[in-house]
Each structure stands twice: as structure tokens, then as C-alpha cells.
Amino acid sequence: MPELPEVEGVVRALAPIAIGRTIQNVTVSDTVIKSKQLGKEAVIKGITTEDFIVDMAGMTIENVTRRSKYIYFHLMKDGNTCLLVSHLGMTGAWFTVDSVDDITEMKFRNHVHVVFTLEGGGLLVYSDIRRFGELRLLGCEADHPPLLKMAPEPFATGARKHFLEFAAMPKYARKPIKEVIMDGHVLSGCGNIYATEAIYKMKIHPERNTERISLKRKNELFDVIVAILQESIDAGGSSISDYRNINGEAGTMQDRLKMYGRKFCPACGSATESMKIAGRTSVYCPTCQK
Ligand SMILES: [Zn+2]
């Protein structure tokens, strides 16, 4: 699943191409249309396909930004601003191409679900193999309250204080640390990959209760998470499974991961073990992580 650095990579690639462009029209795949007719809310959330198509036509993309793991398209039409919020789910990907046939990887080309035709030529294409991604058209962030409950950006002033305060609350303090750092209310943008790496670097067992970690060590853990997210942004994110940057480009952070997806600990050579935490497979070194 794309995490903060991967989404940042998409935003940085998309922004210079999309900003200032106006959407002429929108087409939606038969798969999404049929699924929506069955009440399944595939990809396009909170609005009918028909309304989405009508509302999006004529929108000018004023800016493209990231908030946690979401892409925000800041839009303007007839003097009114709105927000298209995109979450990539497991396998969502954006492409900027002249034709859908220009998408070279067949698995993405075969799962194109929304195509925005831009005035003056070119397409902005959303593809999603497993369709767990989301497109949500809002007047503003407050129209979808869960967005307001996200922890501050990890690089923002106040993120550390927020993390330490939330981690000390009874509802989080008694949970495993790995679950807590992956919780978007506590810390923004740290999913399974970077949580696995950060607690490995800190030599903390994924199941250790948060309250059993000292304030000093929690501070260090926060620093480690921020550093690894930044390192990954600089490397263009991790290209794992079906995640791609825009236009199918791949980042290189996966080559630097020390524990995620590993069979042996690079530090001590022990066979790694895994357990499920918060529904996600957690790989760890039983020797180094206590
Ligand atoms: Zn080890």
C-alpha cells in the first residue's frame, strides 16, 4: 500500500503537469458504473457517477498537494473552489498520457477506471487494479470529517507534541507500539513498511505496549520515523507489489529497507518472524527486537 513517501512522489510528479489544466470531460469504466449501480461505491465515493461526471467537467486544477496519504486536487469552477481527494488504496495509480494505449504496463492499462480529458489535449488517468482506492469530490476538507481528524504532517511543527500526547492516552498507551505508529490519528503517513523499519531500527518488538516505552525512547522513535520518511521521499518511495509513481515510474527505497520483506535480519542473521498486528503482517527480528 502506498504510504506517505510514495504519495509525495505522485504529487511532485503530477503537480507540474496538472496545475493550470482544465478538465474538459470525464469517462468512468463500466466496472465502476456497474458496481455503483449495485450500491458498492467503487472508487467514486459519496456521489453518483452521473453527478461526478457533470461536476468535474469544467474544473480547473489550481494546485495538487499531499495531506498524509491523500492527494488533494484543488479545483475551481465558476468562481467556486472544491477539492478532489484521492486515496490510492492498495493499487491506485495516476497517469498523464496522450492516450490510454500509452500506459505500458497491461495490468494498469486493463484497470483504467476514470479518465479526465484535459482541454488542449492530454489525459489524466486513474487506474486501480484492486479498486480499493477512492476519489471523493468535496466542497472543502470539512465535508469529510475523517480528514480533519488526521494527525499533523510528520514534518510539521506540532507533530511530535501531538504524537507524544496521543501515545500517552489510555486508548493508545496499552496498544502495541506498531499499531499506534500506524494509526493516522496519532501519526500521519506511517504505514506498515516504514513502521516495520522504524521499530527495527529502534530494536523495539512490534508487540511492545506503547506505555512500556520511555518518553526519551518515544522521542527517538519519532525522529527515526521522520528520518526514514524523508529518506524514502528522496529515493522516490518504495516500489513494492503494484505500487508505481506517476506514469509507472518506480522508486528505489525498497532496496534500502532492512526488515520489511526480509527473511533474515541483516544485523544478526537470525531468521525473521512475523505476526499480525492491526491486520497487517509485521516482520521482525526475534533476537534484535525486544
Ligand atoms: Zn537481528
Side-chain angles (χ1 to χ4, degrees):
M1 184 185 293
E3 300 181 24
L4 184 152
E6 291 74 47
V7 178
E8 179 70 21
V10 173
V11 167
R12 288 184 184 187
L14 211 47
I17 300 166
I19 291 172
R21 304 298 303 275
T22 297
I23 294 160
Q24 192 171 57
N25 63 60
V26 185
T27 54
V28 176
S29 71
D30 289 343
T31 309
V32 168
I33 290 171
K34 280 183 193 139
S35 163
K36 293 276 287 175
Q37 284 166 349
L38 294 170
K40 281 187 184 160
E41 287 283 282
V43 180
I44 296 169
K45 307 288 179 186
I47 186 172
T48 64
T49 312
E50 294 78 8
D51 284 350
F52 182 79
I53 290 169
V54 169
D55 290 356
M56 286 300 298
M59 291 277 189
T60 299
I61 302 167
E62 303 261 291
N63 203 359
V64 185
T65 61
R66 180 189 56 73
R67 174 72 177 100
S68 189
K69 299 176 200 173
Y70 293 88
I71 302 163
Y72 283 8
F73 293 88
H74 302 260
L75 306 170
M76 170 84 88
K77 182 175 166 179
D78 303 329
N80 298 312
T81 57
C82 36
L83 202 59
L84 178 68
V85 177
S86 159
H87 191 285
L88 300 173
M90 300 291 284
T91 53
W94 285 95
F95 295 84
T96 54
V97 285
D98 288 328
S99 149
V100 168
D101 293 340
D102 294 340
I103 298 172
T104 49
E105 277 187 277
M106 286 310 289
K107 59 185 174 184
F108 289 107
R109 198 197 299 177
N110 289 338
H111 294 90
V112 163
H113 291 302
V114 184
V115 177
F116 300 96
T117 303
L118 303 172
E119 281 182 15
L123 307 175
L124 185 58
V125 177
Y126 180 72
S127 163
D128 196 337
I129 299 162
R130 297 182 64 183
R131 296 194 306 278
F132 290 127
E134 292 184 17
L135 288 175
R136 201 178 283 275
L137 181 59
L138 305 171
C140 62
E141 252 188 336
D143 290 348
H144 187 56
L147 297 174
L148 300 179
K149 294 200 172 126
M150 290 188 287
E153 284 297 301
F155 311 107
T157 316
R160 178 193 303 276
K161 186 164 171 280
H162 180 95
F163 166 67
L164 295 173
E165 274 174 16
F166 271 61
M169 288 177 179
K171 75 181 276 202
Y172 296 112
R174 287 173 204 134
K175 283 186 178 167
I177 185 63
K178 175 126 187 293
E179 180 174 349
V180 169
I181 59 176
M182 287 196 299
D183 189 313
H185 301 101
V186 181
L187 193 67
S188 266
C190 180
N192 196 27
I193 298 172
Y194 302 110
T196 296
E197 292 296 299
I199 57 169
Y200 171 66
K201 187 160 188 193
M202 289 292 297
K203 298 184 164 43
I204 296 173
H205 192 281
E207 238 182 353
R208 173 121 52 110
N209 265 3
T210 303
E211 65 186 353
R212 286 191 50 236
I213 300 169
S214 70
L215 184 60
K216 179 171 172 285
R217 296 274 287 160
K218 281 204 216 62
N219 261 299
E220 288 168 5
L221 175 60
F222 179 83
D223 290 334
V224 165
I225 292 168
V226 170
I228 198 162
L229 291 174
Q230 186 61 57
E231 183 187 355
S232 182
I233 288 172
D234 295 342
S238 301
S239 302
I240 285 166
S241 156
D242 290 325
Y243 165 69
R244 297 291 181 281
N245 258 339
I246 185 176
N247 298 342
E249 285 173 22
T252 59
M253 185 65 186
Q254 68 280 4
D255 302 332
R256 302 189 199 193
L257 301 176
K258 296 191 171 62
M259 181 49 54
Y260 183 89
R262 293 273 190 159
K263 295 218 163 20
F264 297 95
C265 170
C268 75
S270 298
T272 59
E273 293 183 3
S274 71
M275 58 170 59
K276 286 264 182 194
I277 293 181
R280 306 296 303 276
T281 300
S282 223
V283 179
Y284 67 101
C285 171
T287 308
C288 294
Q289 292 176 261
K290 299 291 179 190

